[in-house]
Amino acid sequence: MSILEEISTFMQRGRSPKVKELVQQALDEGISPQEILEQGLLSGMNVVGVKFKNNEVFVPEVLIAARAMNAGIEVLKPALLADGVEAKGKVVIGTVKGDLHDIGKNLVRMMIEGQGITVVDLGVDVSPEQFYEAAVAEKAQVVCCSALLTTTMGEMKNVVKIFEEKGIRDQVKIMVGGAPITQGFCESIGADCYAADAATAAEAALALCQN
Ligand code: B1M
């Protein structure tokens, strides 16, 4: 079994210490952080996702796997981030109200930080009011909303709405993303930008901050 397959397997079993050890070993062996992320950690999470859908594993197992995934990402973080870049803007990020999924949001945050942008992370279950208040208080150029559930993606429309109601919609760009989100959905709610993955989100955030 290759080391990337081992990372995937131990991640699925939720073995955080082993995942951390293997991720470090893979880095030491010269495997790129992107490969470790995609072929080790994310491929493991895809397997968990399919089993979850088929009722072969349940919330506790998925949570433990998610914890192992986050543990692996923490080890990868320094290697994923570019060194010594100066702040090029500020964004506020969060997972929308009612939604507790944060692995994708954390990856997006990390990649945006890697572009030299300051990121204010509001966490999960973030209401439109919280997005608005943080954007104003932090003077953020971009608000980034993540959603993983079809039942919560509608909250993104409420985020757009609150900035319109408060009269500052033209001062803040709103980016949306997450598994159920599409370019069409982004346009239908009047958001400014959709990104399908963390790397694209980081490039888009930089472009939005520089506009
Ligand atoms: Co949840 N869950 N979950 N879950 N969970 C999904 C999303 C689901 C697809 C599983 C399935 O049925 N196959 C399904 C949603 C179905 C739907 O809505 N259509 C689902 C469900 C139903 C639920 C519950 C309702 C289950 C229940 O309780 N019965 C419940 C809801 C809780 C809640 O949020 N209120 C629930 C709970 C959980 C756990 C807590 C157990 C756990 C979350 C732990 C955590 O995040 N800390 C969990 C997990 C782990 C998943 C799966 C297995 C993995 C999600 C993940 O982290 N993927 C997921 C199935 C799957 O996706 N295969 C599933 C890896 C991550 C890196 O990808 O988040 O897509 P992702 O992020 C990507 C892109 O989407 C993008 O970039 C990232 C990296 O490239 N991206 C952005 C994300 N945000 C972005 C923002 C941007 C731009 C890009 O700009 C701002």
Side-chain angles (χ1 to χ4, degrees):
M1 197 189 281
S2 77
I3 188 160
L4 295 178
E5 285 165 341
E6 275 191 85
I7 290 171
S8 166
T9 305
F10 281 107
M11 201 233 77
Q12 291 167 49
R13 294 182 193 153
R15 299 270 301 277
S16 297
K18 191 70 187 168
V19 170
K20 281 163 90 170
E21 182 193 315
L22 287 168
V23 169
Q24 188 56 59
Q25 191 186 323
L27 284 172
D28 294 344
E29 286 176 12
I31 301 176
S32 79
Q34 208 59 38
E35 247 180 295
I36 300 170
L37 178 66
E38 281 166 17
Q39 291 171 37
L41 296 170
L42 288 178
S43 95
M45 189 48 91
N46 281 340
V47 176
V48 173
V50 172
K51 288 186 175 168
F52 190 33
K53 191 175 182 181
N54 296 335
N55 291 322
E56 291 169 46
V57 296
F58 300 95
V59 172
E61 290 102 311
V62 183
L63 266 179
I64 294 166
R67 203 180 305 151
M69 167 123 185
N70 279 324
I73 288 175
E74 276 306 306
V75 179
L76 273 187
K77 192 172 174 179
L80 280 171
L81 295 181
D83 282 336
V85 272
E86 61 187 68
K88 292 178 185 147
K90 198 179 241 188
V91 319
V92 160
I93 193 167
T95 303
V96 299
K97 190 172 162 189
D99 200 324
L100 304 176
H101 295 84
D102 68 355
I103 296 173
K105 184 264 297 168
N106 293 344
L107 271 177
V108 172
R109 181 194 69 208
M110 206 186 295
M111 299 296 275
I112 295 179
E113 284 171 346
Q115 294 283 357
I117 295 169
T118 304
V119 182
V120 178
D121 190 347
L122 304 179
V124 296
D125 193 19
V126 181
S127 67
E129 292 77 12
Q130 287 170 302
F131 276 113
Y132 167 74
E133 281 160 19
V136 171
E138 299 288 346
K139 298 188 175 60
Q141 290 115 310
V142 186
V143 168
C144 294
C145 304
S146 178
L148 261 286
L149 299 170
T150 45
T151 49
T152 59
M153 59 195 274
E155 280 297 331
M156 290 175 166
K157 189 174 170 54
N158 296 332
V159 176
V160 174
K161 213 168 120 200
I162 195 166
F163 283 91
E164 285 169 356
E165 284 169 2
K166 301 283 185 184
I168 62 158
R169 180 67 187 89
D170 56 341
Q171 293 165 35
V172 180
K173 299 290 181 199
I174 299 177
M175 172 155 55
V176 292
I181 311 302
T182 60
Q183 179 63 35
F185 176 76
C186 167
E187 287 165 18
S188 76
I189 63 167
D192 298 294
C193 174
Y194 159 71
D197 56 56
T200 314
E203 282 168 20
L206 185 62
L208 292 172
C209 283
Q210 288 173 345
N211 270 340

